[in-house]
Amino acid sequence: MRLPRFGWLPILVGVFTFLIGFALAWFVYPWLNNSDWVIYLVGLLALLLVGVGYTLNFLIQGYTHGVKQITEETKVIIRANPAHRVSVAGPTDVKKLAETINIFAGRFQDALDNQATQIQQARADLEEEKNRLAALMSELTEGVLVCNIEGQILLYNNRAKQLLSQLPGGFWGDKIGGFVGLGRSIFGLIDRNAITQALEDLAYRREKQRSPLVSQFVTTATNGQLIRTRVAPIPAQQHGINGFVLTLEDVTQQSQSSRRRDILLQALTEGVRSSLANIRSAIETIEQFPQMDAAKVGQLRKVIYDEALTLSARLNQITAEYDTDLRADWQLEEMLGSDLLWAIQRRFEDKLEVSTAVAEPEENLWLRVDSYSIVQAATYIMRRLKVDFGVTEVKLRLKQTGQLAAFDLVWDNGKVDMDTLWSWQNQSLTTDGGGSALTLREVAERHGGEVWCQADKTINIAYFRLLLPTTQAKPIRSVQIVQSSRPEYYDFDLFHQAGQTPEMDQRPLSELTYTVFDTETTGLNPSEGDEIISISAVRVVNGRLLRQDIFDQLVDPKRPLSLASTEIHGISSEMLAGQPTIEQVLPLFYRFTEGTVLVGHNAAFDMRLLQIKESKTGIKFTNPVLDTLLLSAVLYPNQKDHSLETIAQRLGVNIIGRHTSLGDAILTGEIYLKLVSLLAEQSILTLQDARSAAQKTYLARLNY
Amino acid sequence: MTKKILIVDDEANIVISLEFLIRQAGYEFRVAHNGKEALERVATFEPDLILLDVMMPQINGFEVCRRIRENPDWQDVKIIMLTAKGREVEVTKGLALGANSYVIKPFSTKELMAEVKRVLGEE
């Protein structure tokens, strides 16, 4: 065993003391008698013991204290700060231990860092995958929903939501549909039996190894749309299925148009058959009886003429009707004319390096087009113009004439040969590798349009013109709401909502599903007739604010708005005219909030508004309610200001888009999520914890 | 001076009645059965008016119309398009390419002859 630093000193002292004592004993021995000798030895031994004790104490101090310190510091490394290092001091062995632990801590820190980097990387990868999937899904013209085996929606795209949610027309119907949202049940939207049957059908196909593993059915949405739903299973790793994917397509128009075509076809065949029969029998009669008298011949001729007229009329009618039905079959989307021009311009400039000017088209000029094939067609023309004739500068223009829109690709006419241009119409578009087998003319015809090229020699230009049918202009609405803060409102008891079940009360706040909502009103006194003019809400599922899962509706209050209130929220009477009434909106909002905890800022005010409408609408909001104002007061009892802005600033939540009621709902949701994690630090974990803490604060504030 | 009319249609059955109607109305006429022949006839026969069917194989009525209007010598030739589909886009295209008028098939013979007279300025 090696001694610690200075460890030899007490031993040296001991040995030195012993030697001095021994030497002294040697000198004084002659004067001592026998008994004194014993006393002297005892004294010397005592002196030796003191020396040894001092040495032992020094050693124990150095080791045990050092080890205790190392233990504490190691705990710091493990629990709090992996970058912390144990201080190297004390006896050599303790120092060795400290050094070893420090080496270990270094490795530990590296491992942690490494792990963190890996997690970050994996997260980034996952996020990218997610974004890619989201982008992919959002581009699809079909609605896509992914559900688990219980029918809970795990993933959906906008098209699915659009197809299944209440459309604006739904407000006026008496049936109320469900809402699409994460964690919501698909069975609220699509008949459970239909899906079950499809899944059984799939299980059967799987067993018989039939392909494709897709089953389909057509359902009617609450607004009368026909939706074709395809069901595909998500196989589990072992056996059976984990869930299913639904793809939805609106076939209302398709089926209507094919039904109408059936009727037309029938009308055509039957009508033509009888007219032709009449004509044929008349002509054959004339042929067979050459001596027929003139009056009879005249009669039969009239038959032929009349029947021919009937056939003409019928054909004209069918041409007119069939034309629109034929077009409905192709996947056309409504597109703003200027957007189409912009897409083509970008393509010309990026891909073909052609300088492209765009003449501003008329506002609100909507087209029904397959933008891809139109852009492809334009690109084809442009590429050939550039390659064959060296055209590097063009102008795009779009003009409306009646029901038609003329899209022109114009260039200065140099030595361009019209016969060549004309021949392009019948060649297939094989631009940029993945070309289509369609010709320019076919693209035009599929849009119910025509294409041709023309030269205007007077001003020396030439142009390709694509004539397309237009569609009704779409109204564009944007709502800007500016809101001032409300006074705190206590006129409603948040703490005794009927829908609070003991089971729900025991669940952790982080696991519950919330509807965070906000309203705009005509004024601040619901009891004196102030009405809701806008309700907005956003859902929080699994601790995530779902910005896509929103409710946002203006409401006609059926009473005039004061100018003062318009100044506050920016909603004018004109914006509310024609909006549904609160009696129409509340049932929908009720469906939206079903099974969730309501969260609002100063929620008592909003709840009071809903409560007042109870008798009129028969709709009772019994959901548990949490108030971000009260929860903020729980966390910061000494602060007086708990307005939305102040809390947001205190908690470091970005205040963006705070000028709409939807913006406020989203802000409240973000604040709520921060509050939940802060409440957890104070051991406020369940719904019940939060409610009772809020209630105490509420009473405290009342007293205050 | 007798006005000259060129009938351009690939369907023999309709040409039979058109020939008869135009002869009865006292016009001089020629018949072309396709686009290519039509362009040759325009050069040799120098008609005052062309009854031009749209739907023809190879060179269709639109192209015949365009080529006629591209020739500075033929600017004054009147053209009546005979279109079978009767879609608005088709009519617009025909007029844009230089046709003076159009008649949609099936047509009434009286209306057709009235239109011929109107376009020739004989009313």
Side-chain angles (χ1 to χ4, degrees):
Chain A
M1 175 181 142
R2 285 183 49 193
L3 292 172
R5 193 154 47 125
F6 304 121
W8 45 268
L9 191 68
I11 293 172
L12 197 71
V13 169
V15 169
F16 191 68
T17 316
F18 183 78
L19 284 177
I20 297 272
F22 196 78
L24 274 173
W26 180 269
F27 278 111
V28 297
Y29 178 73
W31 298 287
L32 295 177
N33 49 33
N34 275 353
S35 57
D36 287 342
W37 169 248
V38 172
I39 292 164
Y40 185 81
L41 258 184
V42 168
L44 199 64
L45 264 172
L47 205 63
L48 194 67
L49 270 175
V50 169
V52 169
Y54 177 69
T55 311
L56 275 176
N57 182 46
F58 184 88
L59 287 177
I60 287 167
Q61 280 290 322
Y63 278 90
T64 55
H65 183 70
V67 169
K68 267 187 194 159
Q69 207 175 340
I70 287 173
T71 310
E72 273 172 14
E73 287 189 286
T74 309
K75 277 183 187 165
V76 172
I77 296 173
I78 295 169
R79 293 202 185 134
N81 180 12
H84 184 78
R85 290 294 175 269
V86 174
S87 47
V88 180
T92 313
D93 279 320
V94 175
K95 278 193 334 197
K96 281 265 164 193
L97 179 64
E99 278 163 7
T100 314
I101 285 179
N102 279 344
I103 292 170
F104 189 74
R107 299 262 166 90
F108 177 64
Q109 191 183 3
D110 286 349
L112 279 185
D113 287 350
N114 207 356
Q115 197 181 15
T117 322
Q118 277 180 2
I119 289 173
Q120 215 170 8
Q121 183 62 43
R123 265 201 201 132
D125 287 352
L126 200 68
E127 193 64 22
E128 202 187 320
E129 290 275 314
K130 220 179 79 183
N131 288 342
R132 222 177 287 157
L133 184 66
L136 187 74
M137 282 188 40
S138 69
E139 289 297 316
L140 292 174
T141 52
E142 287 177 322
V144 180
L145 287 154
V146 179
C147 300
N148 65 15
I149 196 69
E150 281 84 35
Q152 271 188 315
I153 299 169
L154 305 177
L155 195 72
Y156 64 92
N157 67 356
N158 259 339
R159 180 70 180 139
K161 187 169 173 168
Q162 200 189 336
L163 282 174
L164 289 175
S165 287
Q166 282 293 312
L167 299 179
F171 277 115
W172 314 106
D174 44 21
K175 279 207 260 176
I176 291 162
F179 283 92
V180 179
L182 294 184
R184 291 186 188 276
S185 173
I186 186 68
F187 302 125
L189 301 155
I190 294 176
D191 185 13
R192 182 189 289 267
N193 293 330
I195 293 177
T196 314
Q197 198 181 323
L199 290 174
E200 279 167 9
D201 176 40
L202 286 172
Y204 175 80
R205 281 161 179 265
R206 210 173 142 83
E207 194 185 315
K208 300 277 173 194
Q209 301 197 329
R210 300 248 170 88
S211 66
L213 264 181
V214 176
S215 179
Q216 66 173 50
F217 55 88
V218 174
T219 47
T220 314
T222 47
N223 54 13
Q225 278 178 305
L226 290 179
I227 294 172
R228 180 169 64 210
T229 308
R230 290 198 172 93
V231 187
I234 304 171
Q237 280 194 328
Q238 299 296 323
H239 181 71
I241 64 167
N242 258 342
F244 48 91
V245 180
L246 302 179
T247 47
L248 312 169
E249 204 181 343
D250 183 359
V251 292
T252 319
Q253 223 184 2
Q254 279 179 30
S255 69
Q256 272 173 1
S257 112
S258 69
R259 202 177 116 72
R260 271 156 46 82
R261 226 175 305 160
D262 283 350
I263 295 170
L264 282 173
L265 203 62
Q266 207 176 352
L268 184 64
T269 44
E270 283 173 6
V272 165
R273 192 183 294 276
S274 66
S275 287
L276 269 181
N278 298 350
I279 292 172
R280 191 170 161 184
S281 66
I283 289 176
E284 284 177 359
T285 315
I286 295 173
E287 295 262 298
Q288 277 171 28
F289 304 99
Q291 289 86 23
M292 193 187 291
D293 63 82
K296 188 71 191 167
V297 172
Q299 208 180 0
L300 288 173
R301 273 192 185 147
K302 189 167 182 323
V303 168
I304 296 171
Y305 180 69
D306 288 347
E307 291 297 345
L309 279 187
T310 311
L311 276 179
S312 296
R314 195 173 286 276
L315 261 175
N316 281 342
Q317 175 203 347
I318 284 165
T319 318
E321 290 180 32
Y322 190 74
D323 198 35
T324 48
D325 288 334
L326 193 70
R327 260 185 280 149
D329 242 15
W330 223 39
Q331 288 284 350
L332 299 181
E333 53 179 331
E334 282 169 12
M335 193 176 192
L336 204 56
S338 51
D339 288 351
L340 182 66
L341 289 192
W342 182 73
I344 294 171
Q345 180 192 30
R346 208 178 31 171
R347 186 66 176 253
F348 280 10
E349 292 189 335
D350 294 353
K351 288 247 176 180
L352 302 175
E353 292 171 350
V354 170
S355 148
T356 313
V358 173
E360 201 58 40
E362 284 154 74
E363 267 180 51
N364 255 8
L365 173 53
W366 285 87
L367 304 168
R368 264 179 68 78
V369 291
D370 168 41
S371 57
Y372 175 73
S373 68
I374 297 284
V375 171
Q376 203 185 23
T379 311
Y380 172 79
I381 297 171
M382 192 62 245
R383 173 163 300 182
R384 296 216 55 178
L385 278 175
K386 191 185 175 194
V387 173
D388 296 8
F389 299 108
V391 177
T392 54
E393 218 173 294
V394 290
K395 188 175 166 186
L396 304 177
R397 64 184 186 200
L398 190 63
K399 283 186 300 188
Q400 184 166 18
T401 46
Q403 293 299 302
L404 299 175
F407 163 67
D408 292 342
L409 199 167
V410 193
W411 70 96
D412 286 332
N413 189 21
K415 53 191 173 185
V416 179
D417 170 34
M418 274 295 156
D419 288 344
T420 312
L421 294 188
W422 200 266
S423 69
W424 293 352
Q425 293 178 34
N426 293 321
Q427 289 169 16
S428 60
L429 311 174
T430 45
T431 50
D432 54 296
S436 118
L438 290 178
T439 65
L440 209 53
R441 176 175 297 165
E442 280 166 335
V443 169
E445 278 173 2
R446 289 202 175 190
H447 283 84
E450 281 283 347
V451 63
W452 71 93
C453 57
Q454 223 172 341
D456 188 337
K457 287 191 176 125
T458 56
I459 49 172
N460 202 33
I461 58 161
Y463 54 90
F464 254 99
R465 171 165 289 183
L466 184 60
L467 209 55
L468 297 166
T470 58
T471 183
Q472 283 291 314
K474 283 184 174 178
I476 299 167
R477 181 177 69 106
S478 71
V479 181
Q480 290 281 306
I481 301 167
V482 186
Q483 186 196 329
S484 75
S485 289
R486 283 177 191 141
E488 290 183 29
Y489 205 88
Y490 297 126
D491 189 16
F492 184 86
D493 187 358
L494 295 179
F495 307 105
H496 299 97
Q497 287 283 86
Q500 281 156 190
T501 58
E503 298 80 53
M504 207 161 184
D505 253 356
Q506 293 313 314
R507 287 183 58 192
L509 291 173
S510 56
E511 281 179 12
L512 289 164
T513 302
Y514 303 91
T515 306
V516 190
F517 76 114
D518 184 53
T519 60
E520 300 293 334
T521 57
T522 55
L524 298 173
N525 298 306
S527 349
E528 288 163 29
D530 275 326
E531 297 277 354
I532 295 175
I533 54 174
S534 146
I535 302 184
S536 303
V538 59
R539 270 161 45 94
V540 171
V541 180
N542 282 334
R544 279 204 310 142
L545 189 77
L546 305 178
R547 284 160 196 276
Q548 304 306 312
D549 199 350
I550 56 167
F551 187 94
D552 194 18
Q553 182 61 50
L554 291 177
V555 182
D556 186 350
K558 296 283 171 197
R559 56 166 281 179
L561 284 179
S562 70
L563 270 178
S565 78
T566 298
E567 267 170 30
I568 293 167
H569 47 58
I571 300 176
S572 65
S573 303
E574 292 78 51
M575 292 161 73
L576 299 178
Q579 295 293 341
T581 63
I582 194 71
E583 288 80 16
Q584 288 168 315
V585 173
L586 279 191
L588 277 170
F589 186 60
Y590 179 76
R591 282 300 293 266
F592 188 81
T593 66
E594 252 178 346
T596 66
V597 177
L598 293 175
V599 176
H601 192 75
N602 197 4
F605 178 84
D606 303 287
M607 290 312 294
R608 175 85 182 122
L609 286 163
L610 299 180
Q611 190 199 32
I612 283 175
K613 291 289 158 202
E614 239 169 51
S615 58
K616 235 178 164 183
T617 58
I619 291 203
K620 200 169 171 158
F621 286 85
T622 58
N623 318 45
V625 182
L626 287 176
D627 186 344
T628 44
L629 190 153
L630 293 179
L631 292 177
S632 165
V634 167
L635 287 167
Y636 306 100
N638 299 319
Q639 304 287 335
K640 281 180 194 167
D641 187 355
H642 295 283
S643 67
L644 211 52
E645 291 90 349
T646 312
I647 303 179
Q649 273 161 9
R650 196 175 292 148
L651 300 179
V653 175
N654 264 339
I655 306 178
I656 295 171
R658 237 228 93 176
H659 299 297
T660 61
S661 58
L662 181 60
D664 278 359
I666 290 173
L667 181 62
T668 309
E670 282 179 345
I671 286 174
Y672 177 73
L673 286 175
K674 289 251 173 177
L675 290 175
V676 167
S677 53
L678 292 170
L679 288 167
E681 286 172 14
Q682 298 196 6
S683 299
I684 297 172
L685 298 170
T686 64
L687 179 60
Q688 188 176 31
D689 295 344
R691 286 199 307 108
S692 47
Q695 192 164 12
K696 271 182 214 152
T697 310
Y698 165 67
L699 294 172
R701 286 177 75 79
L702 272 190
N703 294 336
Y704 168 78
Chain B
M1 196 182 113
T2 320
K3 292 277 172 75
K4 295 192 282 187
I5 296 180
L6 178 65
I7 303 168
V8 186
D9 204 316
D10 58 331
E11 280 185 64
N13 280 349
I14 194 137
V15 171
I16 292 173
S17 2
L18 287 177
E19 271 180 339
F20 185 77
L21 287 166
I22 285 166
R23 187 183 293 129
Q24 289 301 307
Y27 299 111
E28 195 183 339
F29 72 93
R30 291 285 185 283
V31 175
H33 298 95
N34 57 52
K36 192 166 167 288
E37 198 184 337
L39 289 167
E40 289 163 7
R41 292 273 179 187
V42 173
T44 54
F45 178 57
E46 295 181 351
D48 297 294
L49 183 143
I50 305 172
L51 286 177
L52 181 58
D53 183 34
V54 173
M55 295 285 285
M56 289 186 297
Q58 273 95 49
I59 303 180
N60 66 20
F62 290 128
E63 190 165 359
V64 171
C65 188
R66 174 185 67 84
R67 294 211 193 172
I68 289 171
R69 288 300 181 231
E70 268 175 16
N71 189 327
D73 298 340
W74 297 342
Q75 295 302 308
D76 297 333
V77 183
K78 307 290 188 218
I79 299 175
I80 297 178
M81 294 272 227
L82 306 178
T83 139
K85 287 188 197 164
R87 289 151 64 217
E88 195 190 345
V89 281
E90 242 181 349
V91 169
T92 312
K93 182 176 176 179
L95 296 179
L97 289 170
N100 300 84
S101 177
Y102 61 92
V103 173
I104 294 168
K105 284 182 179 179
F107 48 76
S108 135
T109 50
K110 277 185 202 150
E111 276 169 32
L112 175 70
M113 292 319 290
E115 191 61 17
V116 167
K117 281 202 168 63
R118 191 186 69 78
V119 171
L120 285 173
E122 293 181 341
E123 272 170 309

